[in-house]
Every structure is written in C-alpha cells, then in structure tokens.
Amino acid sequence: MAGDSLAPPQLTLDTSCRRPSSSSTTTKGRLLTPSSTSGTLASPGGMSSSSTCFDDPDVALRPDPGTEADFAVDNNPYAFSPGQLNKLLNPKSLSALHALGGLRGLEKGLQTDLTSGLSVDEKGATTTVTFEQAVHSSESVPPKKTDHGGNTSNETFADRIRVFDRNTLPPKKATPFWKLMWAAYNDMVLIVLTIAAVISLALGLYETLGVDHPEGAPPSLDWVEGVAIVVAIVIVVGVGSFNDWQKERAFVKLNAKKDEREIKVIRSGRSEMISVNDVLVGDVIHLEPGDLVPVDGVLIEGHEIKCDESSATGESDALKKTGGEAVMKALNEGHSGYGLDPFIISGAKVLEGMGTFVCTSVGVNSSFGKIMMSVRTEIDQTPLQKKLGKLALAIGYLGSAAAGLLFVILLIRFGASLPGDSRSPAEKASSFMDILIVAITIIVVAVPEGLPLAVTLALAFATKRMLKEKNLVRVLRACETMGNATTICSDKTGTLTTNKMTVVAGTFGSTSFSAADAGKDESIVSWARDIPEATKDLLIQSVAINATAFEGEQEGVVTFIGSKTETALLQLAKDHLGLAALGQVRNNEEVVQMMPFDSSKKCMGAVIKLRQGRGYRLLVKGASEILLRYCSSKANFETLQEEDLTLSDKDSLNAKIEGYAAKSLRTIGLVYRDYEQWPPKTARLTETGSVEFASLLEDLIFLGVVGIQDPVRPGVPEAVRKAQNAGVVVRMVTGDNITTARAIATECGIFHEGGIVMEGPVFRALSEEQMDATLPKLQVLARSSPEDKRILVTRLKKLGETVAVTGDGTNDAPALKAADVGFSMGISGTEVAKEASSIVLMDDNFASIITALKWGRAVNDAVQKFLQFQITVNITAVLLAFISAVESPRMESVLNAVQLLWINLIMDTFAALALATDPPTEKILDRQPQGKDKPLITNNMWKMIIGQAIFQLTVTLVLYFAGASILNYDMSDADQRLQLNTVIFNTFVWMQIFNEFNNRRLDNKFNIFEGVHRNYFFIGINILMVGLQVLIIFVGGRAFEIHENGLDGTQWAISIILALFSWPWAVLVRLFPDTWFATIVRIVGYPVVVAYRFLGKMFRAMWSPFGRLFQRMSKKNKQRESEDEDEEEASDQASDQAPAPMEAPIVQITAAE
C-alpha cells in the first residue's frame, strides 16, 4: 500500500496542519500528530528527494473533454470553478492541489475559514477573489469589493449555491405513463388476445356492413364483442400501469426519506448538526469513526484518520490521511508525494481517527455523485416477489394446458360439424374466432399476474406505514423476512433504555455521592462544594477534553450533543463542577493526541500538555472494572497525591462497582497518568509514529467511578413480552458489565430463572458444540464486543434461526450484514451501521422492532390471503369455462370472454388492493413464526381454496344444468336463456365478493370482520366492485352478453343469497379437521403433482418457440427504451428540477439483494 510505505517517525511535519509556527509542536485546542524526530520528510523507502515535480498548473487544471462547461461560471465571485475543484479528485492529484494554492489557497479562494468555517450570516459573496489572489500566498492586493451580478435576494449562501450547487442529485426521471402502459401491455397472452379481438371485430363489422340482411331484421351487433374485449384489455392495461406508477412514486418517496441524515459541521466557530443536503462548498466538516463522507474535500487536520474508499474507488485497503498543509509543506521540502493523501472522497467510510476537512465538491460535482448519476438502477424484486412470480408461472402452465385442451376439443367438434353447417363463411369464421377467444381468455384468467402485484402493494403499503411508526425500511426484503424472525439480539443502551443518561452516584477516593441522598452518601451538591480546585480541574479535563460531544442548540435550547454517556458527564461538570463554555475549556488546553473509543479495550483517551511546562497528562475513561485492572495506584481526592492501590482497595472498589451495577447503573471509570515527556519512553509507536493506545494501559492512577442511570424505556417490558408471546426469543447483547446487564435484562423481562448470562470473552472461547448447547438458554451477553455479536448471529443462523439484530457502531456492521434483518439506530447509530442495516429505527426504541415484526407478518399474511383468493377464482373460472364450453351444443362458455376479463380484473387488481392493505392487529403476535422451509400455501389455505372451489362450482353448475327446471325458465326461449346466464354471471361475481371476506382470515377462527373497519382500502374497493357489478348488470347489455333489462328483484335475491352461503360454508370448512384434510391431500395430491409436471413439460415444449420470439422482441424494446432514457437524462441533466437529497453512500437503491 502506498500509504504504508511512508515512514512516519521521519516526519517532522505536524500532520494536523495547524497554521505555520516556528517553534511550537502543538496548538491549543487542535488535534495533532507529533513527530518523534527532526529533520526532513523522507520519501518512501528512506530515499530522500531533493525536489518534487509538479505538473504545470495549466496542465493540472486542464478540463477533460466534455467537462468544459464546469470550468465556466458567469459572475463567479470565488477564485475557483466547480471544474477546477473537481480536478483534485478525478483522479486524486497533488499537482491540482498545488496549482490551487494548497489548503490556504482553497481557504482564500472559497472565502471560508479553516477554523471557524462558513459564517451563518452569509447571504451572497461580498467580495470577489481572483485565481491569482487565492493561489499566491504573497499576494498583497486585497480582494475587490465589486458587484459580481450575484443574487440580490436575502437567501442564505445564495452565491455559493449558484456557483457550486447544492449537495443533491437531480431526481431520476419518472417513467412516462405511456411507457408503463406499454410495459403492462407487452405480454404475450394479451397481444394474442388483442389480435383475436381485432379479427373478431373485423368479422363482426363484415357481418354488420358487408352482408345483406332481410328487410325489417334487427341490425347485426356481432362487432360489439370485439370492441368490448379491446376495451377490457385497455382497462386491464390501464389499471396495471396505474398501479406501477403508484408503486414507483411510493418508492421514490421512500428512497428520498432513506437519504436523509445529519452531519456535524463548523459554522461561525460553533459545531452544529445540519442536513446532509445543506452541506456547501467551503463548509468545514467533522470526521469521526463510523461517518460516511457525504462530499469531496481536503483534510485540514486530524489524528490517525483512516478511510475505506472501496465503495468510491474500489481500493479495499484502509487509506491513511494526512493534513493538506502538512502535505504541501512536505512537497515543498522535496518529498516525492508518494503515500501522501490529504483527499477526503465522498462515499468513503471513516474507520479510525478524528479530524476536520474542507468541502470542495458537492452533489453532481462530487466523485460519488458522478458515480451515482451513471449507475442509477431499478429496484430489484424481493425473494417473495420472485417466489410468487414462479408460482404464477406454474399456475399459468396449468391454465394454459386447460385452455389448449379446450381449444383442441372444440376445434375437433367445430371441424366435425362443418359438413352439415349451412351458415355463411363469415358466420363460420366468427364461430371459430369465438372458440379461439374463449380459449385465450381462459389463459388470461388462469395466469395470476396479480400475485407479484399483491406483494408489491403490500410492501409499499407496509413501508409507508412503518415509516410513520419510526421504522425506515432500507432493504425491502427485510420487511417480509422480519415477519418470520425467531430471535432478536438487541443492544441495551438507547434501545431497551431511554438513552437519557444522568450521573446519579459516584465514588472518588474516600468520598462518594448519590442523587437519591441514600444511606451514608452525600448529595451531589454537598459533595461538589468541597472539591479542591486542582481536583475540579482534573475532573473537568477528564470529561471535557477526553470527549467528542460538543455544545450546540437543539430546538432553541443550548445543550450537549453527542454520546449520551459523555453528555451525562459533561452535564455533571456543568451543573456541579463549574464547567463554563465547553469550547473555551478545550481551547485552553493543548491537545497532543486523541485516542478514539476502542471497543476491545472498552475505553478512550486523550493526551494534553500541562500548563507551565510540567509535562503531559494521559486522560482515560471507560468501563470501570476493566480500567481498574490497568491501575496500580490511586489519587488522593483532596491532594491528588499518588497512593498505592492495595488489594483491599481494589476489592472495595469492585464491590462499589457491583453495587452500582446491581442498581442498573452504567459504571464509568476515570483514570489518568502524568508523563515527563511525550511519547513516553516505554510506549510503543504505530506505523504512523503516534503512540499505541494499548501500550499506555498499565500502571495508571485511579481517580474515581461514577454510576450513570439510563432508565428502561416505557413500554419495553410489554414489547418484550409481546415478542416472547409471538414465539420470538429476545436476547440482550451489551458492552456493560455482567451485573448491570443482568439487572436491566431482569427489569425488561428478558432474563428469567434458568436462563444463561455470559460475558463475551467466555462466549467466544466456547467450542461450536458448547456454543450450540448454550445458545438455546443464552439470554444475556455482557461485556461483548462487536465480533462477539457477529459470532452469535452467524451461529444462530446455522442453527436455522431467522435472526434480527440491532447495532449502532461502525464495528457492528459485520453483525448487521450477517443477520437476516439488521436494525440500526437512527439517533445514536453511525452512518456505517445505517448503511449495513436493513431497517433504521428512527427512535432507537425496541418497541419499534415489534412494530416491524407485526408489519412483516402482515405483509406475508396479505400475500397469502390474496393467494388463497386468487387460486380459488382460478380453479373455479377455468373449470367452469371448460365444462360449460365442452357441454354446450354451440360450444360457448357460460362465462364469455368479456365476463371472464371482468372477473380477471376483480381477482388480479381489486382483490390485490383490498387484501394487501390489511393493517396488522395485536392478535397477529399470538402465533408462532413460520419456519424458513414452510410452504407458501399452507394446509389451512388449501383447505379453504378447495372448499370454496367446490362450493362455487357446485352452485354455478347446478344453476347452469338445472337452473332452468328449478327456476322454471324455458330454455328454448332465447330471452329466458339469456336471463339465466345473467343470473349465473351475477351469482359468480357476488361469490367472489363475499369470498374476499372469507380470505381475510388464514386460520380456523370464524370472525372474518375483525379489523375490517380500520381498512378503508378494503371497504372502498368492495364498494367499487359492487357498484360496477350493479352498473354492468343494468347497462352492460350487449357488451357483456347479458339481459338488456338487467335482473328483477327475485333474480337479484337469488344471486346474492346463493353467494352469501359462502360465509356459512367457510365456517364448515374451518371446522373440518386439519389432520383429516392433510391425509386426504397426501392420497389425492400425488397423481395431481404427476399430472402437473407432465403438463408443464408439454406446455414448455409447445410454447418455447413463441417464448424465444417474444424474448427477442422484449430485449429489443428494452434496449430502445434504455437508449431513449439515456438521451433524456443527458438532455435534462442541467435542467432546474426539484432536487432529490444526495447522500453519497446511501443514494444507492438496493431494495432487494
């Protein structure tokens, strides 16, 4: 690695890039990397270089072909154009940085301040800075105060936004509605049906217009059927494309929400959180472990910053970053530049270290923005959608086989009747077309294209509602997977607890305090009043300097922002120790080195230079019982004299820590040590020349321990109980000590008698056999590392569990990725954790996981409800059309093509909308999760499908074959025959409407109306279907080939009452024992499966030539559409569209993997 070849100990430069100083090696309040030697910076391999070769500035900043427009900005008050700034990172170019005047040139040219950032009061640029003024540090000509034609409004940062743009990507151009319609229509079966309908229409028009009719005969209306079929196809295509359009809009909104996050910047000298969309060129941005870099820039200062740029550049190694000013100094002193990298690239992940960088490119001008503009992808299908697609294909094979068989039978009968047929050729052709159309329509009905639509609608509906309930779904498949989760591994802090921490107890030397003023402990106020000034200073240093939290405003109130543990300690210092302004305290101290939190050591540290040249002080805070092991002495709280830490002292402190932990308090230890020099003689140095944190963790001085209260969230014990009642095992995985963990787990209802509480180091040392034996009873994993969590997740998955896990840290990413469903924390989680997760808990609340569990089950239930309904209609409609057409002397189905298309619309679109939008009830948690290997169609579902199919076929066939004698119709009378056919059609449709209610339940319970009043979609869709059916009966007339005068009251009563019997029949079906049904299915099902496989092979062989033809046509169409979209996007790239949020790593739309 380039970065590894640099020998840092030979570096005389201050890589924090402070302002030039002749003597000082540290700067107050700044993050520095000290060097241990003096001399010049050596080039890699120890070879010094006497000179550094830069490209000519004109060459370094020369526009690449096609990017010339980025270099020309009208009335630009800044020294640089977006194109010139892009040259810094396209590719990384030290020559371009040198040509732009280095870090100081960027500061001048962008009219910003590397220390205090942009001014919050900036409207437009008040001065104009030329390129020469910016890049030449010796330039003495002051910037011109000229009218540069900028924005005259009061909009904040108007000129900056005009010149450099916002940190947003233009929205992806929506698919035009006509393209969605074409995609919906581009189906082989619909195209064949259209051809048949057009032929039927032509023949009908010929019958009407081209044939002489007897005088006085009524006009021929044979063309009406062809028109009706064409209209029905248009409606089916229109409704399908409208659903696609709605789905697209829903997911665009979801992705826009998914991209939202806040980052920490410095403006007007104060750290504050702003939306990632509001970051501007010239902003000074904080870098901390776990951050995802949102924009391009150049590092100002930092300590041990390493970035993973694999998502942006493909470089898999961690890249060490060096401050921009240090780089320029090194280059000016003759360094070759090899291994020096000051560039912060958008899309990178901060793995280690802390620092600040100045933003140089945002939005479409940033590196990651350009990548995302070129690789925007469509949303992939979820596993359930793919599974349903295959099922739809399988059902389609059966329906197509039935349609093919029907066509062959009717064709043979048609051919056999031709010798004695006295009809005209046109009438014979029309009769043949009727046979063909019915056969094709059966295929249309049989192919359940509504199945993928149902899961899409269910997911869209669920994700929208989940967002309102604080669950942001990033990966769609997680929604359906969560419904079958069998175990949840949850963090403690902020998830099970409120994450509103307060210091309520503490022990320092011989003194102690308690907020409750219990026992012999003093109150905090009286304890703090007697603390000597030197001790107060040490306490303030320990909590203020050794921290990443900062002071800012939230909802107009000045407060501490950051880690809740740190804010609790800072609040203690502010309320009782005399901490004034946090920023002032930090500026008053000379920070030499920062050691970010180490999850393996459970602590973090900072090194400051003591005033008056008294040496250096290491400040460490972290897990109290672990830090106690690193201590060999203790501080006298009154005098700060170092005293021996005896075994008795350790036992006493451990007992105190255990006592706090037993009260569910998080214990934090504060330790320190003073050194005469830095780095200490005994310390080990890293490859970059800084002190290795682990080498300092010995012979430390114990200052004290505090107990921090983090109450259990209201509702969490109830949520845990619900999860357990739903068959989901809840485990707590925490970094707290085992006593605190057990106490909190007991309070939450996670830990029960007989359960196992184990520490991470013990757990990871178990063999696989021991682990497998322990896991069923493991309820709490304490003092665990992120690696322990990953091992736990992967082992549970190997045991067949469906695992959900929560995580908030960068190191939690492997566990979040390994889990079936990863939950990251929206408030306390790092951006790396959010990117690795499937769902973001916007409120960090465990109860929201139960919400996800309910909605996950609701999605699976919605699909199964629709599947149950769809297959019932498929079976009855296909069999009914087949039987009646074969039996009829006129070879006509009792349900004609237009009626079948209406039924198809009911079951494919309306039912999908109605059944896919049932919200979950609390009772959805009263059952065990379904296993991974459980079939999509359960025994209960098959029982209802077959039971309702028998009922519907029985009712319809009795009406068809015996309806005339039962209802006293004269079948020789065409009018009465048409009335009977209308009753049959009406009864069949009403049976589907009533059966929709039956399918709202998948179990054997009887209440099919439970929660129906909360599903307005279901009520509205059913009202719409009833209204349209009534309209069809009364005015459908010739189009539907029903009685022109509709039905009378008696006929309506017959239709509705017969259909209504599907409800009591469903009760009988549910009462039929499941075991009896399963036995019958095993006996009868085998020959059905054999027949299906045979028909499937036959159908595939028969249709494969047509399939290949349509595939080729489809590919050509897709290629043409893709080319059109590319042209449209290229032409619209510069247009002023409403921007969509741009967040480098999370813009990537991966709705399914």
Side-chain angles (χ1 to χ4, degrees):
M1 249 324 286
D4 295 334
S5 60
L6 185 63
Q10 299 170 318
L11 179 63
T12 64
L13 309 174
D14 173 1
T15 58
S16 69
C17 309
R18 65 190 186 280
R19 296 181 186 276
S21 172
S22 59
S23 60
S24 176
T25 58
T26 57
T27 300
K28 293 186 178 183
R30 313 277 287 183
L31 302 174
L32 304 180
T33 302
S35 56
S36 57
T37 61
S38 60
T40 60
L41 182 70
S43 61
M47 298 289 291
S48 64
S49 175
S50 60
S51 64
T52 302
C53 295
F54 291 110
D55 290 337
D56 183 87
D58 290 338
V59 175
L61 301 179
R62 180 181 296 160
D64 295 321
T67 65
E68 291 82 0
D70 294 337
F71 288 75
V73 179
D74 293 334
N75 301 317
N76 186 359
Y78 303 100
F80 312 123
S81 65
Q84 289 170 323
L85 295 172
N86 284 345
K87 296 297 289 186
L88 291 169
L89 285 149
N90 191 24
K92 296 177 183 177
S93 171
L94 290 174
S95 293
L97 181 61
H98 185 268
L100 294 174
L103 202 56
R104 295 303 161 187
L106 291 173
E107 181 181 34
K108 258 192 207 177
L110 298 178
Q111 300 187 34
T112 185
D113 187 288
L114 298 183
T115 303
S116 58
L118 298 178
S119 168
V120 293
D121 300 320
E122 179 182 322
K123 303 295 183 185
T126 56
T127 63
T128 297
V129 179
T130 67
F131 184 88
E132 289 73 19
Q133 288 170 338
V135 301
H136 299 305
S137 58
S138 60
E139 179 68 59
S140 59
V141 180
K144 295 182 292 182
K145 295 187 178 182
T146 58
D147 180 11
H148 46 73
N151 188 66
T152 57
S153 72
N154 288 325
E155 183 185 357
T156 308
F157 304 114
D159 283 320
R160 200 171 291 276
I161 293 169
R162 176 179 62 83
V163 174
F164 300 113
D165 214 344
R166 296 179 183 272
N167 190 37
T168 57
L169 292 179
K172 190 176 186 298
K173 197 171 181 67
T175 307
F177 193 73
W178 68 267
K179 280 191 178 181
L180 291 173
M181 289 193 71
W182 172 247
Y185 177 71
N186 198 14
D187 177 82
M188 181 172 63
V189 178
L190 281 180
I191 291 171
V192 173
L193 184 60
T194 304
I195 294 169
V198 170
I199 295 172
S200 174
L201 177 61
L203 289 170
L205 290 172
Y206 175 75
E207 284 283 321
T208 303
L209 305 174
V211 177
D212 292 331
H213 298 281
E215 192 172 338
S220 173
L221 295 175
D222 291 341
W223 56 270
V224 171
E225 183 181 25
V227 170
I229 294 173
V230 170
V231 171
I233 291 170
V234 170
I235 291 172
V236 168
V237 169
V239 171
S241 52
F242 179 73
N243 283 329
D244 287 339
W245 178 73
Q246 274 193 318
K247 175 189 73 175
E248 205 171 79
R249 285 186 63 202
F251 288 127
V252 164
K253 289 179 182 177
L254 174 65
N255 285 325
K257 183 70 178 176
K258 185 178 71 177
D259 293 339
E260 292 178 7
R261 65 180 173 109
E262 289 192 330
I263 61 170
K264 185 171 25 168
V265 302
I266 300 174
R267 286 187 176 173
S268 295
R270 294 172 62 90
S271 295
E272 61 180 75
M273 304 298 292
I274 65 170
S275 168
V276 70
N277 311 321
D278 296 332
V279 179
L280 300 170
V281 169
D283 260 321
V284 175
I285 304 169
H286 284 280
L287 288 175
E288 293 178 9
D291 284 351
L292 292 181
V293 182
V295 292
D296 291 341
V298 176
L299 184 66
I300 300 171
E301 62 178 5
H303 168 73
E304 289 295 302
I305 292 182
K306 291 184 180 178
C307 293
D308 172 9
E309 297 180 355
S310 56
S311 60
T313 65
E315 173 61 63
S316 58
D317 292 333
L319 300 181
K320 173 76 169 62
K321 301 296 177 179
T322 308
E325 201 165 291
V327 169
M328 292 305 297
K329 183 178 178 183
L331 294 174
N332 291 333
E333 291 180 356
H335 192 277
S336 66
Y338 183 62
L340 297 179
D341 185 359
F343 301 109
I344 306 297
I345 189 168
S346 52
K349 304 168 188 174
V350 181
L351 301 178
E352 299 176 20
M354 295 178 290
T356 56
F357 76 101
V358 61
C359 171
T360 58
S361 294
V362 297
V364 294
N365 295 317
S366 67
S367 305
F368 208 83
K370 292 178 187 294
I371 294 172
M372 293 313 301
M373 288 300 292
S374 64
V375 299
R376 284 181 163 184
T377 56
E378 299 299 325
I379 296 170
D380 295 330
Q381 286 188 317
T382 70
L384 187 56
Q385 284 172 317
K386 292 175 182 176
K387 193 186 293 185
L388 287 172
K390 291 177 182 177
L391 181 62
L393 194 62
I395 295 170
Y397 283 153
L398 286 173
S400 301
L405 182 61
L406 174 63
F407 180 71
V408 170
I409 293 172
L410 296 185
L411 185 62
I412 292 171
R413 285 182 58 188
F414 176 75
S417 67
L418 284 178
D421 195 337
S422 58
R423 292 179 297 175
S424 67
E427 289 174 324
K428 292 175 184 176
S430 179
S431 180
F432 170 76
M433 289 308 301
D434 287 342
I435 293 171
L436 179 62
I437 286 170
V438 168
I440 295 171
T441 306
I442 286 177
I443 297 176
V444 174
V445 173
V447 175
E449 61 269 19
L451 286 179
L453 172 64
V455 70
T456 300
L457 289 171
L459 285 168
F461 182 71
T463 50
K464 186 177 179 181
R465 292 291 295 273
M466 286 172 71
L467 187 57
K468 291 181 179 177
E469 299 184 45
K470 306 302 182 184
N471 279 262
L472 173 59
V473 180
R474 297 187 69 258
V475 181
L476 279 181
R477 65 175 173 79
C479 197
E480 61 197 44
T481 306
M482 187 60 202
N484 296 321
T486 57
T487 184
I488 299 171
C489 300
S490 174
D491 284 339
K492 177 187 76 70
T493 305
T495 309
L496 298 171
T497 59
T498 60
N499 207 19
K500 294 178 180 176
M501 299 192 185
T502 310
V503 177
V504 296
T507 297
F508 292 85
S510 60
T511 70
S512 61
F513 66 85
S514 171
D517 200 14
K520 61 182 180 180
D521 291 343
E522 295 181 80
S523 69
I524 297 181
V525 175
S526 61
W527 168 82
R529 190 173 52 238
D530 300 329
I531 300 175
E533 281 303 314
T535 306
K536 272 188 182 180
D537 286 344
L538 176 55
L539 285 171
I540 289 173
Q541 288 171 352
S542 295
V543 301
I545 306 303
N546 186 20
T548 58
F550 62 96
E551 205 166 20
E553 282 192 14
Q554 283 187 336
E555 299 177 356
V557 179
V558 177
T559 184
F560 295 112
I561 301 170
S563 160
K564 298 301 180 183
T565 303
E566 291 184 347
T567 58
L569 291 168
L570 288 169
Q571 197 64 47
L572 170 72
K574 183 176 181 178
D575 294 343
H576 303 291
L577 301 178
L579 172 66
L582 179 60
Q584 183 180 342
V585 170
R586 288 175 174 171
N587 287 332
N588 288 338
E589 301 292 349
E590 297 180 358
V591 181
V592 177
Q593 186 171 339
M594 295 291 291
M595 292 93 164
F597 182 77
D598 185 332
S599 59
S600 61
K601 300 287 187 288
K602 301 293 182 187
C603 58
M604 63 187 293
V607 180
I608 59 172
K609 185 176 182 181
L610 295 174
R611 301 183 190 103
Q612 300 168 350
R614 291 182 296 151
Y616 298 84
R617 175 169 289 167
L618 168 67
L619 304 163
V620 182
K621 75 168 186 282
S624 54
E625 74 277 16
I626 292 178
L627 289 187
L628 187 57
R629 296 177 206 154
Y630 301 145
C631 294
S632 59
S633 55
K634 64 180 180 179
N636 183 301
F637 197 61
E638 301 293 331
T639 63
L640 290 187
Q641 292 296 314
E642 188 175 339
E643 300 174 355
D644 288 339
L645 186 65
T646 64
L647 189 61
S648 173
D649 291 333
K650 282 194 174 185
D651 290 341
S652 175
L653 285 169
N654 275 320
K656 201 72 175 177
I657 292 168
E658 286 288 313
Y660 288 159
K663 297 175 184 176
S664 301
L665 302 183
R666 165 175 280 194
T667 59
I668 300 295
L670 301 176
V671 304
Y672 74 103
R673 183 177 175 183
D674 292 341
Y675 297 91
E676 291 182 1
Q677 67 177 54
W678 194 263
K681 292 179 182 179
T682 57
R684 294 190 300 272
L685 300 182
T686 65
E687 293 177 356
T688 56
S690 59
V691 176
E692 185 182 303
F693 190 24
S695 69
L696 301 174
L697 298 178
E698 59 182 10
D699 295 329
L700 300 177
I701 303 170
F702 192 86
L703 178 61
V705 58
V706 295
I708 300 179
Q709 186 179 57
D710 185 13
V712 171
R713 280 182 181 272
V716 163
E718 177 65 13
V720 170
R721 188 195 60 75
K722 287 179 181 178
Q724 293 167 342
N725 189 51
V728 181
V729 177
V730 181
R731 294 177 172 88
M732 188 171 83
V733 184
T734 179
D736 277 346
N737 72 45
I738 197 165
T739 308
T740 304
R742 183 188 288 110
I744 293 287
T746 303
E747 191 175 346
C748 292
I750 294 172
F751 178 69
H752 301 283
E753 196 66 36
I756 294 176
V757 180
M758 187 176 286
E759 289 191 327
V762 178
F763 174 76
R764 81 176 78 109
L766 297 175
S767 66
E768 288 188 357
E769 293 76 15
Q770 291 172 323
M771 209 173 278
D772 292 348
T774 302
L775 283 176
K777 292 185 178 181
L778 182 66
Q779 294 174 349
V780 179
L781 193 61
R783 280 290 175 240
S784 63
S785 68
E787 179 61 15
D788 296 330
K789 187 186 289 187
R790 188 195 65 79
I791 293 170
L792 173 65
V793 169
T794 52
R795 200 66 216 158
L796 285 169
K797 286 183 70 176
K798 284 182 181 177
L799 293 177
E801 302 276 2
T802 301
V803 184
V805 68
T806 68
D808 56 5
T810 302
N811 292 336
D812 286 329
L816 290 167
K817 278 287 187 187
D820 293 290
V821 182
F823 287 90
S824 62
M825 304 296 111
I827 299 171
S828 62
T830 64
E831 297 308 318
V832 172
K834 290 176 188 176
E835 187 194 25
S837 67
S838 310
I839 299 175
V840 180
L841 296 179
M842 307 299 283
D843 58 355
D844 291 11
N845 192 347
F846 181 84
S848 297
I849 300 177
I850 306 306
T851 300
L853 178 65
K854 291 198 301 187
W855 276 105
R857 291 190 175 189
V859 168
N860 289 319
D861 284 1
V863 172
Q864 288 184 308
K865 289 172 187 177
F866 177 72
L867 191 57
Q868 185 172 279
F869 175 80
Q870 172 109 55
I871 295 176
T872 304
V873 186
N874 275 358
I875 292 172
T876 52
V878 171
L879 286 178
L880 190 60
F882 186 95
I883 293 168
S884 59
V886 170
E887 185 278 335
S888 170
R890 293 178 298 279
M891 294 179 284
E892 294 175 351
S893 166
V894 64
L895 300 174
N896 62 40
V898 180
Q899 292 172 358
L900 284 171
L901 287 172
W902 164 235
I903 292 165
N904 184 64
L905 188 65
I906 288 175
M907 69 182 191
D908 271 350
T909 301
F910 291 150
L913 284 166
L915 293 171
T917 52
D918 250 347
T921 64
E922 289 298 320
K923 291 184 179 178
I924 206 168
L925 298 175
D926 291 343
R927 65 169 194 253
Q928 299 297 298
Q930 296 180 358
K932 289 181 179 179
D933 55 349
K934 191 164 184 180
L936 204 55
I937 308 176
T938 63
N939 269 345
N940 256 357
M941 291 170 65
W942 275 122
K943 187 172 71 170
M944 184 56 68
I945 289 166
I946 293 171
Q948 283 296 328
I950 290 171
F951 170 76
Q952 292 182 14
L953 280 172
T954 302
V955 170
T956 313
L957 291 176
V958 166
L959 282 175
Y960 179 69
F961 288 108
S965 56
I966 295 172
L967 302 174
N968 295 320
Y969 286 119
D970 182 2
M971 296 307 288
S972 60
D973 185 338
D975 184 72
Q976 291 195 22
R977 186 171 65 245
L978 192 58
Q979 284 187 47
L980 180 60
N981 285 344
T982 305
V983 169
I984 293 171
F985 166 62
N986 195 36
T987 304
F988 189 82
V989 170
W990 277 95
M991 282 193 289
Q992 310 318 316
I993 293 171
F994 288 130
N995 192 38
E996 248 191 290
F997 287 83
N998 288 327
N999 286 287
R1000 293 189 70 248
R1001 290 210 80 104
L1002 295 169
D1003 52 24
N1004 286 327
K1005 295 179 181 176
F1006 301 144
N1007 186 4
I1008 58 176
F1009 300 105
E1010 184 179 345
V1012 72
H1013 62 283
R1014 295 188 295 116
N1015 189 349
Y1016 300 116
F1017 274 102
F1018 186 89
I1019 295 169
I1021 291 295
N1022 277 278
I1023 290 171
L1024 179 64
M1025 285 194 294
V1026 168
L1028 289 174
Q1029 180 62 17
V1030 171
L1031 195 65
I1032 287 168
I1033 293 299
F1034 282 113
V1035 300
R1038 290 286 296 179
F1040 282 82
E1041 294 187 21
I1042 56 178
H1043 199 271
E1044 291 185 358
N1045 297 325
L1047 299 175
D1048 59 26
T1050 304
Q1051 292 165 332
W1052 272 105
I1054 291 169
S1055 299
I1056 294 175
I1057 291 171
L1058 282 175
L1060 195 57
F1061 270 104
S1062 68
W1063 287 355
W1065 176 256
V1067 172
L1068 295 176
V1069 170
R1070 289 188 166 100
L1071 288 172
F1072 191 84
D1074 292 344
T1075 51
W1076 294 7
F1077 178 77
T1079 304
I1080 294 169
V1081 166
R1082 276 196 296 272
I1083 297 169
V1084 178
Y1086 181 73
V1088 173
V1089 171
V1090 172
Y1092 163 71
R1093 287 175 179 166
F1094 171 74
L1095 289 172
K1097 287 178 182 177
M1098 183 181 72
F1099 182 79
R1100 278 193 294 269
M1102 185 171 63
W1103 280 98
S1104 59
F1106 298 101
R1108 284 193 292 271
L1109 172 65
F1110 276 92
Q1111 277 180 350
R1112 285 196 294 271
M1113 290 171 59
S1114 178
K1115 281 181 182 176
K1116 287 180 181 177
N1117 286 333
K1118 284 180 180 176
Q1119 284 175 355
R1120 281 198 296 270
E1121 287 177 13
S1122 179
E1123 288 169 3
D1124 291 344
E1125 285 179 5
D1126 289 344
E1127 289 175 8
E1128 288 173 7
E1129 285 200 10
S1131 64
D1132 292 342
Q1133 194 134 6
S1135 64
D1136 291 327
Q1137 300 182 52
M1142 183 276 177
E1143 178 187 351
I1146 306 183
V1147 171
Q1148 184 176 359
I1149 302 172
T1150 53
E1153 294 178 355

